[in-house]
Amino acid sequence: MLIWFVVIYLIIAIGIGLYAATKVHNARDYVVAGRALPLYMVTATVFATWFGSETVLGTSATFLQEGLHGIVADPFGASLCLVFAGLFFARKLYRMNLLTIGDYYRLRYSRSVEVITSMAIVISYLGWVSAQITASGLVFSLISNNQISLHQGMLLGSAIVLVYTIFGGMWSIALHDFLQMNVILVGMLYIGYVISGDAGGLSHVVQHARQDGKFNFWPKADAADILGFLGAWVTMMLGSIPQQDVFQRIMSAKSETVAVQGSVLGGVMYFLFAFIPITLGYAATLIDPAMVQRLIGNHPQHILPELILHHTPIFAQIMFFGALLSSILSTASATLLAPSITFTENVIKPFIGQWGERHLLLVMRAVVVLFAAVVAWYALGTNNSIFNMVENAYKVTLVAAFVPLAAGLYWKRATNQGAVFAIVLGTSAWLWLEITRPDGIWPPQLFGLLMSLAGMLVGSLLPDVLPKPREQHVRG
């Protein structure tokens, strides 16, 4: 019954994608859904995109191992990212009526800054999409009782996401996310009620976790711990802001007020519901401690799915895996579309000239297929955990793209030279520490962020030594 439910659900997902294709008439429809989404759909697509496999499987497993201190990046940093994006970036960016976040870097600085930041954004998605593909392989393997291998499941998941993303674009994602948000909310609330009851009640689970030291959040009075805490926090809180998926949801809203409210509401909902799988994961230690002990070392991401499979009735299993598949598919589709559009619009398009809308859509869809193939290849070859793949994804945008974005919007003296210095210094400092001292007192990405800020200040205040760009600038 569980397998048949999954098959029916996937058929519905593909059907929605094909229906959404009827709404796509040009590149703007494909990328930002014609800037026509109401508040409930913007909120749904923000929430469903971020509530991915790392939230259900990765964060819950990390909490079991490290407590709240280990999940400062997600959900704490991740939810604050959406709130900050709504409050401080959405209104300014919405008024510019752009197609991609890369367009902003060209208009504010230069074509070269556009290409470099766009490539950084594209690269950053590799880990995030791969995490969703890995999770889809895990789900298909578990529900088929290993009749489908992990690698076969990953390829199957890649194909399914590709089919309904390639045709409908942002319209497909928006419609599907609205359905998926409801599945996630209902499924997570129901399974939380069932599992917490089996563990002796929610208050018992919380009390036990507190006594076990899992609620220790703040860093110790130690330089290394404080810097590590800050590094983990800013990685997703700031590094996720200059991302095409966040930008697309802002630009897809029917008004700037909806853009602000949808991002903030989505972030708040994400933070609240992220604690349901965290609670479920810890409840596993009370319901089946032997299973947790067996998996915690090498396969911590299996704990929650195996708990559901072996300790709940079939209806609860359907609700859980329905919510899990919803979270995976919504995030995978969004994170597959975003880098493909960025690469097409900001890297390829200037070289292909004035092509018509039909040909541009064809190129975008071809890039979606290409990126899906690269992601599947990367996911099959990596051994990183789902949580680490997602957390590491944002380091490159943190050191290369955040400072030029924020400074360009809020500091009128920010210049193209400052942006170039910020990118070069931030990226170089980050890579240098990642290679030479990855476990040193300074988290490489935090040091890179500080160097990026220094580069922006120095480069903007010094006389220009770089050739002035030809493009017309838009001041913050």
Side-chain angles (χ1 to χ4, degrees), residues 27 30-31 99-100 103 106 111 114 118-119 122 244 336-353 355 357 359-371:
Y30 192 74
V31 178
L99 200 61
T100 69
D103 292 343
R106 181 185 70 253
R111 166 67 179 156
E114 172 196 17
S118 295
M119 288 305 300
V122 169
Q244 178 62 18
L336 179 61
L337 182 66
S340 303
I341 288 171
T342 300
F343 188 74
T344 304
E345 179 72 15
N346 301 111
V347 179
I348 296 178
K349 186 178 177 181
F351 294 103
I352 62 178
W355 282 18
E357 290 289 342
H359 289 94
L360 185 59
L361 273 174
L362 182 63
V363 173
M364 283 184 177
R365 285 168 170 153
V367 174
V368 170
V369 174
L370 177 62
F371 194 74

Side-chain angles (χ1 to χ4, degrees), residues 13 36 46 51 80 99 102 147 149-150 163 175 198 213 260 262 280 298 335 347 356 385 388 407 410 420 468:
V46 168
F51 201 96
L80 278 174
L99 200 61
Q147 295 299 308
S149 71
L150 177 62
V163 167
L175 294 173
D198 291 345
V260 173
L280 297 178
N298 297 320
T335 52
V347 179
S385 71
N388 286 336
Y410 283 99
V420 172
K468 291 187 177 181

Side-chain angles (χ1 to χ4, degrees), residues 97-333:
N97 194 22
L98 306 173
L99 200 61
T100 69
I101 188 68
D103 292 343
Y104 170 80
Y105 293 102
R106 181 185 70 253
L107 292 172
R108 181 61 175 87
Y109 299 113
S110 66
R111 166 67 179 156
S112 22
V113 171
E114 172 196 17
V115 172
I116 296 171
T117 52
S118 295
M119 288 305 300
I121 290 168
V122 169
I123 292 170
S124 73
Y125 278 98
L126 196 57
W128 196 7
V129 190
S130 297
Q132 313 313 314
I133 299 305
T134 300
S136 68
L138 174 61
V139 170
F140 290 131
S141 177
L142 287 173
I143 64 175
S144 67
N145 198 24
N146 296 319
Q147 295 299 308
I148 299 175
S149 71
L150 177 62
H151 285 181
Q152 290 171 338
M154 291 163 69
L155 292 174
L156 178 60
S158 300
I160 292 168
V161 172
L162 176 61
V163 167
Y164 83 78
T165 303
I166 193 174
F167 292 108
M170 189 60 195
W171 265 117
S172 173
I173 292 170
L175 294 173
H176 203 265
D177 281 355
F178 180 68
L179 167 66
Q180 288 167 329
M181 183 187 74
N182 288 283
V183 173
I184 291 169
L185 297 183
V186 174
M188 282 290 134
L189 287 171
Y190 174 75
I191 203 68
Y193 170 77
V194 171
I195 293 297
S196 61
D198 291 345
L202 178 61
S203 60
H204 177 66
V205 175
V206 172
Q207 182 63 27
H208 199 281
R210 180 181 290 110
Q211 293 173 352
D212 197 24
K214 298 300 183 183
F215 286 177
N216 294 331
F217 177 71
W218 298 107
K220 302 174 184 176
D222 172 79
D225 204 45
I226 293 173
L227 290 174
F229 181 87
L230 291 175
W233 198 317
V234 301
T235 298
M236 293 190 73
M237 181 174 64
L238 303 182
S240 303
I241 290 177
Q243 290 281 9
Q244 178 62 18
D245 64 282
V246 176
F247 178 82
Q248 273 181 269
R249 277 133 196 82
I250 290 171
M251 298 303 291
S252 298
K254 67 178 183 179
S255 70
E256 63 182 62
T257 300
V258 169
V260 173
Q261 294 174 347
S263 184
V264 173
L265 286 173
V268 172
M269 286 180 60
Y270 173 75
F271 180 77
L272 295 176
F273 276 86
F275 281 93
I276 295 179
I278 290 172
T279 304
L280 297 178
Y282 192 81
T285 64
L286 304 179
I287 296 172
D288 194 343
M291 181 267 290
V292 173
Q293 190 64 31
R294 174 172 55 86
L295 296 174
I296 193 69
N298 297 320
H299 302 288
Q301 294 156 178
H302 291 216
I303 292 174
L304 196 48
E306 293 211 13
L307 173 72
I308 303 301
L309 282 173
H310 298 127
H311 293 276
T312 62
I314 186 65
F315 181 72
Q317 293 175 28
I318 290 174
M319 295 299 290
F320 173 78
F321 283 102
L324 179 55
L325 275 174
S326 292
S327 65
I328 292 171
L329 292 178
S330 60
T331 303
S333 59

